[in-house]
Each structure stands twice: as structure tokens, then as C-alpha cells.
Amino acid sequence: MAEAEDLDQWFYRPPKTDAQRLGIVVGGSLSKGLDVKLDPRSVVIEGLAVGRYVVIHGARTGRRFFGLITDIVLDNTNPLIEKTPPDTSDPFMAEVYAGTSTFGRLHVSPMLVLEEGAKEPKPVKTVPEHFSVVYTATEEDVNQVFGQEDATHFKIGEPLDMEGIPVSLDLKKFVERSSGVFGKSGTGKTFLTRMLLAGIIQQDVAVNLVFDMHNEYGWKSQGEGGYEVKGLRQLFPTGRVAVVTLDTESSRRRGSKVDFEVEIGYEQIEPEDVDMLRDLLGLTDVQANALYFLRRRLGRDWIAKLLAEDEIAEEIESIVDQGSLHPGTLGAIQRKLGIFRRFAFLKPGLETNVVQRILDHLSKGISVVIEFGRYGNSLEAYILVANFLTRRIHEEYVKRKEAALGRTADEPRPLVITIEEAHKFLDPLISRQTVFGTIARELRKYNVTLLIVDQRPSGIDEEVMSQIGTRVTCLLDNEADIRAVFSGVSGAGALREVLARLDTRQQALILGHAVPMPVVVKTRDYQSLYAALAQGDGKAPEEVLKRNKAILRGEGEFEGFD
Amino acid sequence: MSTEPVMHQHIGRVLNASTTRFTAGCRVPLSALPTFGALARVNAQGGRCQVYGMIYDIYVDDDPLVRQLASLPEPDEEIIQDQLRNRHIPVEISLLVVGHRLEGRILHSLPPQPPLSLDKVYLCDEAELVEFTSAFDYFRLVLAADQVPREELLAAHLRLAAGARGAEGRDFRVEAGRELARLLGGNLVLLDGVLRRIRP
């Protein structure tokens, strides 16, 4: 026994593991990644895939290096074999040549290192030595890296080719900084976003404000397969989600259960809110600047006065008479603001303060989903409302946070604002002026972060993109979009191959703040999400059964089954 | 087995030797001559070490009597048979040294000393052939040898060694082939030549 231990000191004995041995490290570098020669007999190259996890056991230090397969190569010992391939129709010849003269090679990007006996993996600063053995990652490895599902870790899916092994996202970190969900249209962005939002609500790490352009998050929506998918309000029937709408009729038609209607008074609109629409309305610089002047001169009901068709306000006449504003400019502004008349949610003389109502919900920890109904097709309405509400809510958060710093109030609940078509808000030309650009840049300073959902990340200001903490990316194939997603990520080159080869459905690459290393996941399906949420609500099954029975008998108020 | 008596009797004696190859004069009747590629063993260092050689050439020399007999129009069959059995000069067998056994262990490397003249040369039996060929390090000695038909020699030798393994012969051929593929990565023509000759 003692002799055996002595021998162990001199000869490396690979640790016992049920992982499959893939091969050995034969070269590479920290910056460019490692080359791994595949074991010819045991590994079938066609059974591997980019994006898969591997673990490299450092031979002498006992360290374990976690890496990601970023490329798979066919290699040979003699290039002449490509010119004169052997006769492999003979099984004997094929068996002899496979893995000897010709063999497979993997390119592995090392990401994390786990010291012997340590629990927390650290970013990799060196490489394993020559001929270190490479294994597939096991459930234990994945758990060690991503942490098991717990109070702040939310299962988002399974690593590629590792069925049954959960990958968890650290939601606390996810909401700490602004995050993004990117991907071509039809690759599952909405599904992923809904799942992330459900996770955030379930784990209670933040409260959400969702600008639901296409009415997909609140009550229900149609899945890609044509089947009906429950929205957040149905997933959390206990009142943790409120759905509000800009278009009651559309919500009623869709059978959506709505908490209240969003109405904005003309008097509440400030020139800054309209300025955001500068490009969409085609306002020139002169016209945009005139807005501020008009607000100053016309007072709170400046919009109502500008839009009034029957009687022209005295102030307007005097402005024109005094020559303070060119009549052409004024006319253009009035014409362009005319679009507001088509927005039924904008009303003159309204006293209710929708911002306060939403803020009250948020302070109580109730997430708010704003359905746009038919206005979802109007980018002007979407940007106006999103900007209008966000600017005021952000201001309030800044105040509350400052009060908390001055120890006169409690810290405001972390808030995640979800916006779709984010490049319209975060375009390089306007992102510096809009509140969304500010929120993305100031990180978690005021407990407000963004969840950006977009299919054209290249349209988003680079400075904002570099501040995005966690990027969840479905398939992208436009080169500029891929580049944008990886901006500010070190060692991104190798990940490009992975991203460009994701499946069109149910696969995503997650990288950034909330995951210790980039991970390609097969996202979990609805069934598993529903099941997890039903369990996670903390109610005993008997209680749930009793309640559901009561609903079926018509005794309880129906808010959806648990 | 018919080869049994040959196992324990020597097939000849060393004529000349170096550490890398040696020649033996064979006294056995031609019918019992060892074959090309076979493995033979000879003692060296006074019996402390056994040197293994692989037969790469078998040379049947003539003598004046053979010349005379060959010139006869129709020599007597009895005389020819006598000549075959009782040759004046031995059949010369050239062997390439491919390893040695020291203190019971087989090493696929050159021996410390060559065998001496007239040391007895024994043909290895199947068990010893299987034992010697359980590793392939001796391939390098064969591949490094000059003026030896390496391709043919390896192929003949591997066919014998595979035959000695019976049903496991195919696996042996594949393993040997893979080792050759590693060693001959730079010489695909030689590799292909050997592999074609040893395929089952």
C-alpha cells in the first residue's frame, strides 16, 4: 500500500471519474485555446459538438480546468495522405488508419480553473501542461461551476449533449446589471425572456416592468407550434404579476385579464418625451428645440393647445404675432403631433397618475406587464409610452435611492425594465439622450437595470452593449450582430463558431456576469417550467388541490389554476 | 506438432555475428529449414543473455560437387537426395537482431554482446513468438536496418506472429498495423506496402 502511494507521487494516476475520456492536450495557448488530440478508439468525432463542456485534469497540480469545445478539426500526421488516401473500403485498413495517420483534434477554450480541494472556480490564468487528460464534464462538474438550483440559482436548461444535468443562472447577478436577450426572429427570444422573467419573479430577486409590445408576456400567447402558452399573470396566479393595458378592447378580445388601463394625460407629457420621437416623427432640430419653447410658453396643457383644432389658443397666436416662432415650424409641429390624436390612451384633462399607480405596484413587489394591444404595431406609441413611464420611474428610483443613502428611507426594490426592439431606444445617435442609455450605463447604481430584447444587437450603441452584464444569445448569423454581441468580451473569437452553429430552436449561448463561464444550453421546455413554478410557489399540494376544486365548483374566484 | 522436435534442437550454429545481425550455418535438412521472417534465439555472454534474431535472408551456396552435378544431363536421384541431406557447406541464414532476454525479461533493444561463433541457434516456438511480439518496440530496429527487405520482412514476420495467435490473430494484425501507422507516418508508401501484405 505504502509502495503504491510512493508510486503515486511519481506517476500521475488519473482520478476516478465516470466522465468519458476524450483525449490529451497536445498544444495551444491561453489566448488562442488548447489543442486536444482525440483518443482514436474510444471517441467518435461525429458524436462531439462545439459548445460542449470538457474538463482537463492537470497532471501535477491536481487542478481541474473547465473549457468549452470551440472547434473540431480533422487532422493527419502526413499531409500526403490527403492526396493519396488509403483504401479504406477494406475494414482492416480503415481500422488501422483511423486515429493513427488520421485523427480528430479539438480546439478547447479554457475558461475556469478549480484548485484541488477548492469549491469556487476561478478564471483561468494558465494552461494545463502537455498531455493532460481531457474528459467530458460530469453532472458534478457542471454543478460545481454553475451552482445547484437554489434560492438565487434558476435552472435555465441543460448543457449541450448533457441531458438531465441542470445549468443554473445566478439571477441575483443577472439583475444586478443590465442584461440582453438576442437572436434572430423566431429563435425563441420571447420564450427565453418569459422564462427569465418567471425566474426573477419566482426567486423574488427583483420586480419587473415589462413593455410588452406584442402582448406575449402578460396573460397568454401563441407558441411557435400554434399552441397556447401561459403568460406571467397565469404562471403566478397569486397576485405577484399585474397586467395593465393601453388598449382595453384588444385585451378583452384576447381574453386577457387586466388589472387597470394605462391612460396618460396630455398635461403629463413633457417635451423630453416627444423629443425621443424626433426621428420617427421627422422633427428637425429646430422643431425639436421649439417644443421646449412651446412648453414654456403654453404651460402644462401645451399639447392640448397645440392639438386644438376648433379654437386656437391666444398664446399661440401671440407667439406667431411676436415672431418668436416661424409659422411654418409651428404648423409642422402641430401636424406631426397630430399622431397623438390616434392614441386613445392619451387623453386631455386627465387627473389620474398612472406612473404613481405603477410605482405603487412595483413598491409592493408586484411586477407589471404593460400590454400594448393594437399600439404594439406603432413604434411611436411604444417608444412614447416606454420612455414616458421609464423616465419618471427612474427619477423616482433615483430619489428613493438617494433617500436610502441618506438613511431616511428603505432601499427601493431592484427593478428590471424589459424592453423589446431595444435598438430603437439605444441607437448610437439617441442612446446618450434617452433614459434607457442612462440606465444601461449607470449599472445598478439606482437599483434599476434593463433587460433588452432585440434581434439586431448591431443597432445598439457600442458603449451600451459593453455595459450589458449577461448576454443570452440565440442563433445569430449576421456578422455585425455577432460582433456586437461579443463586444467587450475577452476571448470571444472562439465563441463565434459556437454562436453561429446554434440550433434555431431551444438553444442559447449565455455569457457574462450571471454565469461563471459561457455556456450553450438547451433551454428547458414549458412543461418543466410550469412544473417548477407550481412547486416553487411554496404551497402544499393539498392546499392547491383544495383551491382548484373550489374553482371548478364555482366557489372560488378564478385567477387561473395552480 | 510436427515442429516439436525442432524446438528443442538447435537448427544451426553461428558463423559470424555483430551486435546488430548474425549469420548461422544451418545443418538441418532443407525440409526443416526455418522460414523467412521467423524468430530465432541464440545464447550470448556465456548464457546470461539470449539474443533474438529475425530471419531476413536464407542463402543456399553451391560447392564444386553441386556444380558438377548441375552440369550432368540426368544425375542419379539417389545422389541428389544425398546431396540435399548431407551438404558439404551449410545453408546460411542471416538474422537481424531485434531484441534480447536479460534476467528473464525481453528487451526490444540490442544486446550487450553478440553471440559467438558456433553458438547454437534455436528456432522460437509459438509461445515464445507470442511473448516476444506482445509489444512492438522492435519494429524500430527492423525499420532502421539497412540492406534488409524491410517491407517483406515485417509482413512475413507479422503473418507468422498472427498465425501463432489463432483466433486473436486479426486483433494482433490491427494493433501491429496501428503501431506501424504511427512509426511510418512520414513514409506512407512503405506503410501501405506492409499493411497490404498483412491484411487478413
Side-chain angles (χ1 to χ4, degrees):
Chain A
M1 189 65 200
E3 274 176 23
E5 277 168 15
D6 284 349
L7 282 175
D8 279 353
Q9 288 189 341
W10 296 101
F11 296 102
Y12 172 67
R13 185 178 290 177
K16 279 183 190 158
T17 167
D18 52 357
Q20 188 200 353
R21 191 186 135 121
L22 289 177
I24 51 170
V25 174
V26 291
S29 71
L30 184 60
S31 56
K32 295 200 177 76
L34 300 170
D35 283 322
V36 175
K37 184 173 187 273
L38 286 179
D39 281 352
R41 286 297 182 79
S42 52
V43 183
V44 182
I45 197 162
E46 290 167 14
L48 295 167
V50 284
R52 242 184 110 155
Y53 274 128
V54 296
V55 177
I56 306 162
H57 292 261
R60 280 192 285 186
T61 52
R63 283 176 173 169
R64 279 188 295 158
F65 295 80
F66 294 91
L68 200 64
I69 300 178
T70 50
D71 204 1
I72 302 175
V73 186
L74 292 175
D75 208 348
N76 54 52
T77 49
N78 187 341
L80 276 178
I81 209 160
E82 293 168 15
K83 309 282 186 293
T84 53
D87 170 23
T88 48
S89 59
D90 182 341
F92 168 74
M93 297 292 251
E95 207 174 331
V96 168
Y97 278 108
T100 52
S101 301
T102 58
F103 52 89
R105 199 155 51 84
L106 296 181
H107 199 71
V108 171
S109 282
M111 303 276 178
L112 295 173
V113 62
L114 188 75
E115 301 283 342
E116 196 170 20
K119 289 222 164 61
E120 282 277 306
K122 293 198 181 109
V124 67
K125 290 195 175 63
T126 180
V127 289
E129 65 177 20
H130 263 109
F131 315 128
S132 296
V133 184
V134 183
Y135 296 90
T136 54
T138 60
E139 180 170 5
E140 189 199 337
D141 298 326
V142 173
N143 283 339
Q144 201 151 24
V145 171
F146 292 97
Q148 272 164 325
E149 209 178 351
D150 58 23
T152 56
H153 286 83
F154 178 72
K155 179 186 166 185
I156 184 148
E158 296 158 353
L160 210 59
D161 294 340
M162 295 179 81
E163 217 162 291
I165 301 173
V167 167
S168 304
L169 198 65
D170 188 337
L171 284 177
K172 210 165 177 173
K173 283 190 167 175
F174 185 78
V175 301
E176 229 168 48
R177 297 189 186 175
S178 291
S179 312
V181 178
F182 307 108
K184 280 203 312 182
S185 141
T187 50
K189 285 193 301 293
T190 309
F191 172 68
L192 259 171
T193 311
R194 191 186 295 115
M195 184 159 70
L196 290 167
L197 291 172
I200 294 172
I201 297 170
Q202 191 202 19
Q203 313 270 15
D204 203 19
V205 287
V207 66
N208 291 284
L209 175 62
V210 184
F211 292 104
D212 185 3
M213 194 170 187
H214 304 296
N215 317 309
E216 292 164 321
Y217 301 105
W219 184 252
K220 64 180 180 191
S221 74
Q222 290 271 309
E224 286 280 329
Y227 52 89
E228 208 165 84
V229 181
K230 283 185 187 177
L232 295 172
R233 178 81 156 81
Q234 290 199 73
L235 290 177
F236 297 96
T238 47
R240 287 163 78 179
V241 178
V243 178
V244 303
T245 183
L246 266 78
D247 183 358
T248 353
E249 274 174 44
S250 153
S251 298
R252 198 181 308 126
R253 274 199 301 274
R254 284 181 287 107
S256 184
K257 196 173 161 63
V258 172
D259 290 73
F260 61 89
E261 200 180 341
V262 175
E263 289 178 326
I264 297 170
Y266 278 166
E267 298 73 21
Q268 293 163 0
I269 297 176
E270 296 292 331
E272 289 86 346
D273 302 319
V274 185
D275 201 358
M276 266 294 286
L277 300 171
R278 188 192 284 225
D279 282 344
L280 284 173
L281 298 182
L283 290 171
T284 61
D285 280 355
V286 175
Q287 290 161 0
N289 288 332
L291 294 174
Y292 295 87
F293 168 74
L294 287 167
R295 166 71 180 85
R296 214 162 48 240
R297 289 289 296 268
L298 301 181
R300 275 189 79 222
D301 47 358
W302 63 294
I303 298 276
K305 282 177 183 163
L306 284 171
L307 292 186
E309 281 171 324
D310 304 332
E311 45 184 286
I312 297 164
E314 282 172 27
E315 295 97 320
I316 294 184
E317 279 177 347
S318 76
I319 286 170
V320 176
D321 291 344
Q322 287 166 5
S324 323
L325 197 62
H326 190 273
T329 308
L330 182 66
I333 290 172
Q334 284 174 312
R335 221 170 29 252
K336 286 169 182 174
L337 292 188
I339 194 173
F340 287 1
R341 288 196 201 95
R342 296 212 297 272
F343 298 157
F345 57 87
L346 293 182
K347 289 186 176 145
L350 198 72
E351 287 312 313
T352 53
N353 186 348
V354 71
V355 176
Q356 195 51 51
R357 269 187 98 173
I358 291 175
L359 268 169
D360 288 346
H361 274 75
L362 297 177
S363 324
K364 283 185 218 147
I366 301 170
S367 294
V368 178
V369 179
I370 302 176
E371 287 193 343
F372 276 72
R374 65 173 184 274
Y375 302 112
N377 297 325
S378 159
L379 203 54
E380 292 89 350
Y382 187 68
I383 291 184
L384 177 72
V385 173
N387 197 50
F388 175 88
L389 295 176
T390 307
R391 229 160 49 79
R392 285 154 181 80
I393 290 168
H394 179 247
E395 269 170 27
E396 183 64 25
Y397 260 76
V398 171
K399 271 188 219 154
R400 287 189 193 175
K401 179 76 186 189
E402 283 169 354
L405 287 174
R407 294 176 201 283
T408 52
D410 285 342
E411 185 98 350
R413 249 172 217 278
L415 169 67
V416 176
I417 299 177
T418 304
I419 44 167
E420 295 184 291
E421 300 283 342
H423 63 273
K424 306 276 186 201
F425 301 90
L426 298 167
D427 181 86
L429 292 174
I430 57 167
S431 84
R432 269 154 235 270
Q433 293 121 42
T434 70
V435 62
F436 294 102
T438 314
I439 294 175
R441 271 192 297 271
E442 73 195 7
L443 300 177
R444 54 183 164 162
K445 217 152 84 193
Y446 297 109
N447 288 16
V448 185
T449 53
L450 295 179
L451 176 57
I452 291 168
V453 184
D454 206 312
Q455 49 182 313
R456 276 217 68 97
S458 57
I460 295 176
D461 187 8
E462 211 171 299
E463 197 191 332
V464 171
M465 272 309 278
S466 66
Q467 297 299 328
I468 300 291
T470 310
R471 295 153 208 222
V472 180
T473 312
C474 304
L475 176 70
L476 278 175
D477 43 21
N478 182 298
E479 200 46 49
D481 289 333
I482 294 179
R483 212 171 23 246
V485 165
F486 287 125
S487 70
V489 178
S490 63
L495 291 172
R496 268 166 214 225
E497 281 305 306
V498 179
L499 182 56
R501 275 162 185 74
L502 289 179
D503 279 2
T504 47
R505 321 245 359 111
Q506 266 206 314
Q507 277 193 6
L509 170 70
I510 307 175
L511 65 156
H513 194 54
V515 282
M517 66 189 278
V519 55
V520 178
V521 291
K522 182 175 174 287
T523 49
R524 70 201 287 189
D525 55 23
Y526 277 107
Q527 307 308 330
S528 112
L529 180 65
Y530 289 164
L533 292 178
Q535 279 170 12
D537 228 18
K539 284 185 288 191
E542 298 78 28
E543 206 182 310
V544 174
L545 184 68
K546 203 171 136 194
R547 204 178 84 83
N548 288 349
K549 272 184 183 167
I551 292 168
L552 283 173
R553 288 195 204 104
E555 292 164 6
E557 194 195 340
F558 180 68
E559 289 182 326
F561 293 114
D562 287 350
Chain B
M1 273 171 31
S2 60
T3 50
E4 191 67 19
V6 183
M7 295 295 138
H8 303 290
Q9 290 173 13
H10 60 276
I11 54 167
R13 289 178 182 271
V14 173
L15 296 176
N16 56 61
S18 76
T19 43
T20 56
R21 55 184 83 191
F22 58 95
T23 313
C26 209
R27 64 163 192 85
V28 293
L30 285 178
S31 62
L33 262 184
T35 53
F36 175 67
L39 201 64
R41 166 173 41 82
V42 56
N43 281 342
Q45 288 191 298
R48 268 182 293 147
C49 157
Q50 285 85 45
V51 176
Y52 286 95
M54 195 184 286
I55 298 171
Y56 70 87
D57 196 19
I58 301 173
Y59 179 56
V60 184
D61 204 355
D62 61 351
D63 59 39
L65 179 59
V66 170
R67 285 168 179 262
Q68 281 177 11
L69 289 172
S71 63
L72 288 178
E74 204 51 61
D76 207 0
E77 183 58 27
E78 200 180 328
I79 298 173
I80 290 177
Q81 287 304 322
D82 177 61
Q83 174 62 23
L84 286 176
R85 290 202 178 94
N86 305 305
R87 290 174 56 83
H88 289 196
I89 52 171
V91 173
E92 278 181 38
I93 301 175
S94 302
L95 298 101
L96 186 69
V97 175
V98 288
H100 64 286
R101 190 193 285 270
L102 202 64
E103 294 169 356
R105 266 182 67 207
I106 288 178
L107 301 164
H108 289 165
S109 56
L110 295 179
Q113 281 176 4
L116 299 177
S117 297
L118 299 179
D119 274 341
K120 287 176 185 170
V121 178
Y122 299 88
L123 196 66
C124 294
D125 63 6
E126 286 192 344
E128 200 167 8
L129 180 60
V130 169
E131 187 191 1
F132 187 85
T133 55
S134 60
F136 299 121
D137 297 335
Y138 65 97
F139 283 2
R140 290 171 187 280
L141 289 170
V142 180
L143 293 172
D146 288 336
Q147 295 170 348
V148 164
R150 292 177 291 172
E151 196 174 305
E152 290 291 347
L153 176 61
L154 269 174
H157 161 75
L158 289 173
R159 280 196 302 267
L160 285 176
R165 283 172 164 79
E168 288 162 20
R170 186 183 187 281
D171 289 348
F172 173 79
R173 285 171 204 248
V174 171
E175 283 308 321
R178 292 174 69 82
E179 178 67 18
L180 283 171
R182 270 185 283 276
L183 295 174
L184 294 174
N187 190 347
L188 294 177
V189 178
L190 179 56
L191 173 65
D192 199 54
V194 182
L195 292 181
R196 279 169 185 280
R197 285 169 175 77
I198 64 166
R199 61 182 160 189

Short mmCIF file of all heavy atoms in Angstrom, two decimals, chain B residues 84-111:
data_model
loop_
_atom_site.label_atom_id
_atom_site.label_comp_id
_atom_site.label_asym_id
_atom_site.label_seq_id
_atom_site.Cartn_x
_atom_site.Cartn_y
_atom_site.Cartn_z
N LEU B 84 21.17 -33.31 -50.82
CA LEU B 84 20.24 -32.49 -50.04
C LEU B 84 20.39 -32.76 -48.55
O LEU B 84 20.27 -31.85 -47.72
CB LEU B 84 18.79 -32.76 -50.46
CG LEU B 84 18.36 -32.18 -51.81
CD1 LEU B 84 16.94 -32.59 -52.15
CD2 LEU B 84 18.46 -30.66 -51.79
N ARG B 85 20.62 -34.01 -48.18
CA ARG B 85 20.67 -34.37 -46.76
C ARG B 85 22.05 -34.13 -46.16
O ARG B 85 22.16 -33.75 -45.01
CB ARG B 85 20.29 -35.84 -46.58
CG ARG B 85 18.80 -36.06 -46.86
CD ARG B 85 18.27 -37.31 -46.20
NE ARG B 85 16.84 -37.41 -46.47
CZ ARG B 85 16.33 -38.11 -47.49
NH1 ARG B 85 17.12 -38.80 -48.28
NH2 ARG B 85 15.04 -38.10 -47.69
N ASN B 86 23.06 -34.40 -46.92
CA ASN B 86 24.41 -34.28 -46.37
C ASN B 86 25.21 -33.26 -47.17
O ASN B 86 26.06 -33.60 -47.97
CB ASN B 86 25.13 -35.64 -46.42
CG ASN B 86 24.31 -36.71 -45.73
OD1 ASN B 86 23.97 -36.56 -44.57
ND2 ASN B 86 23.97 -37.77 -46.45
N ARG B 87 24.88 -32.03 -46.91
CA ARG B 87 25.55 -30.98 -47.68
C ARG B 87 26.97 -30.77 -47.19
O ARG B 87 27.27 -30.94 -46.02
CB ARG B 87 24.79 -29.67 -47.51
CG ARG B 87 23.45 -29.64 -48.19
CD ARG B 87 22.74 -28.36 -47.82
NE ARG B 87 23.56 -27.19 -48.14
CZ ARG B 87 23.61 -26.65 -49.35
NH1 ARG B 87 22.90 -27.17 -50.33
NH2 ARG B 87 24.37 -25.60 -49.58
N HIS B 88 27.83 -30.36 -48.06
CA HIS B 88 29.21 -30.07 -47.66
C HIS B 88 29.30 -28.73 -46.96
O HIS B 88 30.05 -28.56 -46.02
CB HIS B 88 30.12 -30.08 -48.90
CG HIS B 88 30.32 -31.46 -49.43
ND1 HIS B 88 31.33 -31.80 -50.31
CD2 HIS B 88 29.64 -32.60 -49.20
CE1 HIS B 88 31.22 -33.08 -50.60
NE2 HIS B 88 30.20 -33.59 -49.93
N ILE B 89 28.54 -27.80 -47.52
CA ILE B 89 28.54 -26.50 -46.85
C ILE B 89 27.10 -26.19 -46.42
O ILE B 89 26.15 -26.59 -47.08
CB ILE B 89 29.08 -25.36 -47.74
CG1 ILE B 89 28.34 -25.37 -49.08
CG2 ILE B 89 30.56 -25.42 -47.91
CD1 ILE B 89 28.65 -24.17 -49.93
N PRO B 90 26.97 -25.52 -45.26
CA PRO B 90 25.62 -25.32 -44.70
C PRO B 90 24.82 -24.26 -45.47
O PRO B 90 25.39 -23.44 -46.18
CB PRO B 90 25.90 -24.84 -43.29
CG PRO B 90 27.22 -24.17 -43.36
CD PRO B 90 28.01 -24.86 -44.44
N VAL B 91 23.50 -24.31 -45.27
CA VAL B 91 22.63 -23.21 -45.74
C VAL B 91 22.87 -22.04 -44.78
O VAL B 91 22.90 -22.22 -43.56
CB VAL B 91 21.15 -23.64 -45.70
CG1 VAL B 91 20.23 -22.46 -46.02
CG2 VAL B 91 20.91 -24.80 -46.63
N GLU B 92 23.07 -20.89 -45.36
CA GLU B 92 23.36 -19.73 -44.50
C GLU B 92 22.07 -18.96 -44.20
O GLU B 92 21.32 -18.62 -45.11
CB GLU B 92 24.34 -18.78 -45.19
CG GLU B 92 25.78 -19.21 -45.05
CD GLU B 92 26.72 -18.24 -45.72
OE1 GLU B 92 26.45 -17.00 -45.64
OE2 GLU B 92 27.69 -18.71 -46.33
N ILE B 93 21.84 -18.72 -42.93
CA ILE B 93 20.65 -17.96 -42.53
C ILE B 93 21.13 -16.64 -41.93
O ILE B 93 21.94 -16.63 -40.99
CB ILE B 93 19.83 -18.71 -41.47
CG1 ILE B 93 19.39 -20.06 -42.02
CG2 ILE B 93 18.62 -17.91 -41.03
CD1 ILE B 93 18.69 -20.91 -41.01
N SER B 94 20.64 -15.52 -42.47
CA SER B 94 21.02 -14.21 -41.92
C SER B 94 19.90 -13.72 -41.01
O SER B 94 18.72 -13.77 -41.37
CB SER B 94 21.23 -13.20 -43.04
OG SER B 94 22.22 -13.69 -43.90
N LEU B 95 20.30 -13.28 -39.83
CA LEU B 95 19.30 -12.82 -38.86
C LEU B 95 19.60 -11.39 -38.42
O LEU B 95 20.75 -11.01 -38.22
CB LEU B 95 19.29 -13.73 -37.62
CG LEU B 95 18.91 -15.19 -37.88
CD1 LEU B 95 20.16 -16.05 -37.92
CD2 LEU B 95 17.94 -15.67 -36.83
N LEU B 96 18.52 -10.63 -38.30
CA LEU B 96 18.63 -9.26 -37.81
C LEU B 96 18.34 -9.30 -36.31
O LEU B 96 17.33 -9.87 -35.89
CB LEU B 96 17.57 -8.40 -38.52
CG LEU B 96 17.60 -6.92 -38.26
CD1 LEU B 96 18.83 -6.29 -38.89
CD2 LEU B 96 16.32 -6.29 -38.81
N VAL B 97 19.23 -8.73 -35.53
CA VAL B 97 19.00 -8.75 -34.08
C VAL B 97 17.84 -7.79 -33.75
O VAL B 97 17.88 -6.61 -34.12
CB VAL B 97 20.27 -8.35 -33.31
CG1 VAL B 97 19.99 -8.25 -31.81
CG2 VAL B 97 21.38 -9.36 -33.57
N VAL B 98 16.79 -8.32 -33.09
CA VAL B 98 15.63 -7.47 -32.78
C VAL B 98 15.37 -7.37 -31.28
O VAL B 98 14.42 -6.71 -30.86
CB VAL B 98 14.35 -7.99 -33.49
CG1 VAL B 98 14.42 -7.73 -34.98
CG2 VAL B 98 14.12 -9.46 -33.19
N GLY B 99 16.21 -8.00 -30.49
CA GLY B 99 16.00 -7.88 -29.05
C GLY B 99 16.81 -8.93 -28.31
O GLY B 99 17.53 -9.72 -28.93
N HIS B 100 16.69 -8.91 -27.00
CA HIS B 100 17.38 -9.93 -26.22
C HIS B 100 16.63 -10.14 -24.92
O HIS B 100 15.76 -9.34 -24.54
CB HIS B 100 18.83 -9.53 -25.97
CG HIS B 100 19.00 -8.29 -25.14
ND1 HIS B 100 18.76 -7.02 -25.64
CD2 HIS B 100 19.36 -8.12 -23.84
CE1 HIS B 100 18.98 -6.13 -24.70
NE2 HIS B 100 19.35 -6.77 -23.59
N ARG B 101 16.98 -11.22 -24.27
CA ARG B 101 16.36 -11.50 -22.99
C ARG B 101 17.44 -11.45 -21.92
O ARG B 101 18.47 -12.11 -22.04
CB ARG B 101 15.70 -12.89 -23.01
CG ARG B 101 14.82 -13.17 -21.77
CD ARG B 101 14.46 -14.64 -21.70
NE ARG B 101 13.46 -15.04 -22.67
CZ ARG B 101 12.15 -15.02 -22.44
NH1 ARG B 101 11.68 -14.61 -21.27
NH2 ARG B 101 11.32 -15.43 -23.37
N LEU B 102 17.19 -10.63 -20.92
CA LEU B 102 18.18 -10.48 -19.85
C LEU B 102 17.45 -10.68 -18.53
O LEU B 102 16.43 -10.02 -18.30
CB LEU B 102 18.79 -9.07 -19.92
CG LEU B 102 20.15 -8.86 -19.28
CD1 LEU B 102 21.21 -9.69 -19.98
CD2 LEU B 102 20.53 -7.38 -19.37
N GLU B 103 17.97 -11.57 -17.73
CA GLU B 103 17.36 -11.87 -16.44
C GLU B 103 15.86 -12.14 -16.59
O GLU B 103 15.02 -11.62 -15.84
CB GLU B 103 17.60 -10.72 -15.46
CG GLU B 103 19.06 -10.56 -15.13
CD GLU B 103 19.35 -9.26 -14.38
OE1 GLU B 103 18.41 -8.46 -14.20
OE2 GLU B 103 20.50 -9.07 -14.00
N GLY B 104 15.53 -12.86 -17.62
CA GLY B 104 14.14 -13.28 -17.80
C GLY B 104 13.26 -12.29 -18.54
O GLY B 104 12.16 -12.63 -18.96
N ARG B 105 13.71 -11.05 -18.65
CA ARG B 105 12.85 -10.03 -19.30
C ARG B 105 13.25 -9.82 -20.75
O ARG B 105 14.44 -9.74 -21.07
CB ARG B 105 13.02 -8.69 -18.59
CG ARG B 105 11.98 -8.46 -17.53
CD ARG B 105 12.18 -7.09 -16.91
NE ARG B 105 11.91 -6.01 -17.83
CZ ARG B 105 12.47 -4.81 -17.75
NH1 ARG B 105 13.38 -4.56 -16.81
NH2 ARG B 105 12.15 -3.86 -18.60
N ILE B 106 12.25 -9.74 -21.59
CA ILE B 106 12.53 -9.49 -23.00
C ILE B 106 12.68 -7.99 -23.23
O ILE B 106 11.85 -7.20 -22.79
CB ILE B 106 11.40 -10.05 -23.89
CG1 ILE B 106 11.48 -11.58 -23.90
CG2 ILE B 106 11.50 -9.51 -25.31
CD1 ILE B 106 10.41 -12.26 -24.71
N LEU B 107 13.78 -7.61 -23.86
CA LEU B 107 14.00 -6.20 -24.17
C LEU B 107 14.13 -6.06 -25.68
O LEU B 107 14.88 -6.80 -26.31
CB LEU B 107 15.31 -5.72 -23.51
CG LEU B 107 15.35 -5.85 -22.00
CD1 LEU B 107 16.77 -5.72 -21.49
CD2 LEU B 107 14.47 -4.78 -21.37
N HIS B 108 13.38 -5.11 -26.21
CA HIS B 108 13.45 -4.89 -27.67
C HIS B 108 14.56 -3.91 -27.99
O HIS B 108 14.33 -2.83 -28.52
CB HIS B 108 12.11 -4.40 -28.19
CG HIS B 108 11.05 -5.45 -28.17
ND1 HIS B 108 9.71 -5.18 -28.30
CD2 HIS B 108 11.12 -6.80 -28.02
CE1 HIS B 108 9.02 -6.30 -28.24
NE2 HIS B 108 9.86 -7.30 -28.06
N SER B 109 15.78 -4.31 -27.63
CA SER B 109 16.92 -3.45 -27.93
C SER B 109 18.13 -4.34 -28.19
O SER B 109 18.05 -5.56 -28.00
CB SER B 109 17.19 -2.51 -26.75
OG SER B 109 17.38 -3.28 -25.58
N LEU B 110 19.20 -3.72 -28.60
CA LEU B 110 20.38 -4.53 -28.98
C LEU B 110 21.03 -5.12 -27.74
O LEU B 110 21.04 -4.50 -26.68
CB LEU B 110 21.37 -3.65 -29.74
CG LEU B 110 20.85 -3.14 -31.10
CD1 LEU B 110 21.91 -2.27 -31.77
CD2 LEU B 110 20.48 -4.28 -32.02
N PRO B 111 21.57 -6.33 -27.84
CA PRO B 111 22.18 -7.00 -26.68
C PRO B 111 23.53 -6.38 -26.33
O PRO B 111 24.14 -5.72 -27.18
CB PRO B 111 22.34 -8.43 -27.18
CG PRO B 111 22.49 -8.30 -28.65
CD PRO B 111 21.66 -7.12 -29.07
#
